[in-house]
């Protein structure tokens, strides 16, 4: 039983579901409904060629406590009724933690895709979700050596950790050709490698109105000196509407658009001369594509994208956006070990019924 809930989950879990389906495994996909807008969910499913979820829990938005509790309660009902032999969760969103916790309490084994990432920043809601989900999981599936190191340092037994690679890059490799052919930048009157692609949605950047104000000023400066397109996450749009600053961004020349489906967004990443982001997944995708990425955060749980990829950590100060310039140099893709398009297959090899039981320490399942 797979759990998905928010946009990055769909991208990470699609290759796992596909690889297990190819092996004829019986599986159920549960969508918690944390993300529910057409562009945040349905369009992602269709672009990723994910079959419609078997169950939709409709938990929606809310405070962390309310959202997590709704997901736990609804998912517990599903578990009691369906009794899966394994629950697979991915990433670090509230749905991930809620469903891992519900399963663990019922003694059902949990596998965590993208285990072991750590920013060391406990103010990030995702960091809380990562640490607790890993503690609750029986099978920990990692995408980089530092993730394995983080888990070992927390006392997790080595035989529960499996280096499988990055499933997000499986999706990227599968759809890269189609996305490139779209040349989505053309329909926005942008020239290849000459524009900046922007995504910003972390609460630490957009939730505080004073901080958002400074950020908008810097984005306006960027909009005046370089072509730029900004698919605006619903959290960010809500905050920009509350502070009345969306119009200023548009007036600067920066193109504010709705969140894009996966193929359109990937197309814009491929054609970008630079990317400015605070997204986790976008740091990884730009490294795999060889597109320069500037991350507006004080830290990253994905240091491999700095050490071996194209990521530059700007830090916390929005004034550093002045460093972001599109480059017309051709991209130089980075070859990070196990980010090779086959992580889903390796996970299916591990989780498939032929290789079960998996976790030496799993009990009560
Ligand atoms: C969540 C994840 C974050 C991830 C991001 C991916 C948590 C704690 N955070 O953040 O790690 O990077 O998803 O995009 O799980 N909204 C809509 N329509 C939607 C979804 C959300 O309008 O389909 C609006 C609502 O006003 C909602 C707000 O966005 O309150 C935030 O949504 P939520 O899922 O709580 O957090 P994200 O910021 O999306
Ligand atoms: N993405 C997308 N449309 C957009 C912005 C992002 O399809 O308008 C994709 C992106 O290519 C990546 C994933 O969404 O695969 C990243 O999700 P997000 O940035 O929402 O979450 P995070 O990775 O920060 O948790």
């Amino acid at each position: 039983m797979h759990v998905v809930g928010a946009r990055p989950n769909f991208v990470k879990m699609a290759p796992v579901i596909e690889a297990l389906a190819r092996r004829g495994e019986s599986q159920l996909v549960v969508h918690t409904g944390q993300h529910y807008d057409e562009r945040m969910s349905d369009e992602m499913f269709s672009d990723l060629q994910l079959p419609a979820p078997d169950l939709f829990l409709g938990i929606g938005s809310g405070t962390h406590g309310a959202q997590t509790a709704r997901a736990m309660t609804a998912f517990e009902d599903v578990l009691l009724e369906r009794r899966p032999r394994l629950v697979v969760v991915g990433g670090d969103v509230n749905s991930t933690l809620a469903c891992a916790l519900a399963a663990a309490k019922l003694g059902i084994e949990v596998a965590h895709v993208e285990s072991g990432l750590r920013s060391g920043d406990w103010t990030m809601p995702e960091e809380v979700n990562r640490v607790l989900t890993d503690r609750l999981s029986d099978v920990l599936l990692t995408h980089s050596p530092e993730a394995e190191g983080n888990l070992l340092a927390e006392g997790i037994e080595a035989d529960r950790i499996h280096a499988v690679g990055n499933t997000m890059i499986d999706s990227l490799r599968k759809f890269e050709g189609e996305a490139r052919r779209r040349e989505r930048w053309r329909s926005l009157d942008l020239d290849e490698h000459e524009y900046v692609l922007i995504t910003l949605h972390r609460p630490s950047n957009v939730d505080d109105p004073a901080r958002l104000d400074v950020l908008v000023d810097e984005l306006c400066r960027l909009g005046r000196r370089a072509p730029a397109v900004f698919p605006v996450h619903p959290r960010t749009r809500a905050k920009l509407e509350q502070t009345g600053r969306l119009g200023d961004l548009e007036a600067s020349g920066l193109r504010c658009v709705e969140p894009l489906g996966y193929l359109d967004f990937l197309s814009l990443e491929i054609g970008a001369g630079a990317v400015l982001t605070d997204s986790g997944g976008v740091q990884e995708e730009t490294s795999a594509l060889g597109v320069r990425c500037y991350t507006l955060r004080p830290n990253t749980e994905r240091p491999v994208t700095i050490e071996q990829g194209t990521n530059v950590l700007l830090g916390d100060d929005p004034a550093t956006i002045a460093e972001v310039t599109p480059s017309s140099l051709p991209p130089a893709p980075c070859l990070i070990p196990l980010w090779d398009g086959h992580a889903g297959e390796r996970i299916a090899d591990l989780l498939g019924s032929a290789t079960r039981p998996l976790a030496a320490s799993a009990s009560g399942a």
Side-chain angles (χ1 to χ4, degrees):
M1 179 174 284
H2 305 278
V3 176
V4 293
R7 180 165 68 185
N9 293 157
F10 313 138
V11 186
K12 286 166 201 171
M13 296 300 288
V16 180
I17 295 164
E18 188 188 332
L20 284 162
R22 262 199 302 276
R23 285 160 167 73
E25 295 289 344
S26 141
Q27 15 182 14
L28 284 173
V29 176
V30 180
H31 185 336
T32 63
Q34 177 173 344
H35 285 176
Y36 43 85
D37 285 351
E38 169 83 24
R39 285 163 180 274
M40 298 295 289
S41 180
D42 302 31
E43 203 174 331
M44 298 296 289
F45 266 74
S46 66
D47 276 6
L48 289 158
Q49 297 171 1
L50 257 173
D54 299 287
L55 294 160
F56 183 76
L57 306 182
I59 64 155
S61 305
T63 62
H64 286 284
Q67 189 178 56
T68 308
R70 280 203 296 275
M72 262 191 88
T73 313
F75 190 61
E76 186 179 58
D77 288 345
V78 171
L79 292 173
L80 289 170
E81 196 189 322
R82 306 286 183 129
R83 282 274 161 194
R85 72 175 167 80
L86 174 71
V87 166
V88 188
V89 298
D92 54 16
V93 303
N94 284 345
S95 301
T96 310
L97 171 61
C99 296
L101 185 49
K105 289 278 184 93
L106 289 175
I108 297 170
E109 226 179 315
V110 177
H112 183 203
V113 176
E114 197 194 78
S115 174
L117 299 191
R118 298 288 184 268
S119 66
D121 179 354
W122 203 246
T123 66
M124 275 186 95
E126 294 81 2
E127 186 74 353
V128 178
N129 293 342
R130 290 180 197 121
V131 171
L132 297 180
T133 301
D134 284 336
R135 186 65 190 84
L136 294 164
S137 296
D138 301 286
V139 183
L140 298 109
L141 304 161
T142 58
H143 81 19
S144 50
E146 65 250 20
E148 188 172 351
N150 292 335
L151 294 171
L152 291 171
E154 287 174 18
I156 289 175
E157 300 89 331
D159 62 356
R160 287 161 56 197
I161 306 169
H162 304 269
V164 290
N166 192 335
T167 60
M168 204 166 221
I169 305 307
D170 289 14
S171 288
L172 182 145
R173 293 294 172 226
K174 179 174 174 184
F175 293 107
E176 191 180 3
E178 194 179 341
R180 193 180 290 280
R181 285 190 293 280
R182 282 193 179 207
E183 302 189 324
R184 185 64 167 84
W185 54 90
R186 284 182 187 275
S187 59
L188 291 159
D189 286 329
L190 297 165
D191 293 322
E192 191 174 3
H193 307 319
E194 290 188 1
Y195 63 90
V196 181
L197 172 65
I198 303 167
T199 77
L200 295 164
H201 70 273
R202 297 255 91 85
S204 56
N205 275 327
V206 304
D207 275 10
D208 171 25
R211 159 117 191 152
L212 185 62
D213 223 32
V214 178
L215 185 53
V216 168
D217 289 343
E218 294 299 335
L219 290 174
C220 288
R221 281 196 189 96
L222 173 62
R224 283 193 289 272
R225 70 179 163 80
V229 55
F230 183 10
V232 185
H233 188 284
R235 169 188 289 276
T236 310
R237 182 171 293 275
K239 303 291 173 191
L240 286 169
E241 281 169 356
Q242 278 163 24
T243 56
R245 302 251 11 224
L246 198 54
D248 293 342
L249 283 179
E250 281 161 349
S252 75
L254 202 142
R255 309 282 297 273
C256 294
V257 298
E258 292 293 319
L260 295 168
Y262 179 68
L263 289 171
D264 279 344
F265 187 79
L266 185 55
S267 185
L268 285 184
E269 276 185 293
I270 290 167
V275 174
L276 169 65
T277 196
D278 59 13
S279 159
V282 171
Q283 295 172 60
E284 298 183 347
E285 290 171 342
T286 45
S287 282
L289 292 169
V291 174
R292 174 52 62 89
C293 179
Y294 297 87
T295 300
L296 187 65
R297 283 181 42 190
N299 50 55
T300 178
E301 59 290 331
R302 292 160 161 94
V304 72
T305 61
I306 297 175
E307 288 147 16
Q308 296 183 47
T310 59
N311 193 12
V312 173
L313 205 56
L314 286 178
D316 211 18
D317 181 359
T320 55
I321 292 175
E323 288 175 34
V324 179
T325 327
S327 159
S328 54
L329 288 177
C334 308
L335 290 175
I336 298 173
L338 296 180
W339 293 28
D340 58 359
H342 301 292
E345 290 294 337
R346 285 188 284 269
I347 292 174
D349 286 344
L350 274 166
L351 301 186
S353 45
T355 46
R356 313 277 300 135
L358 244 183
S361 57
S363 59

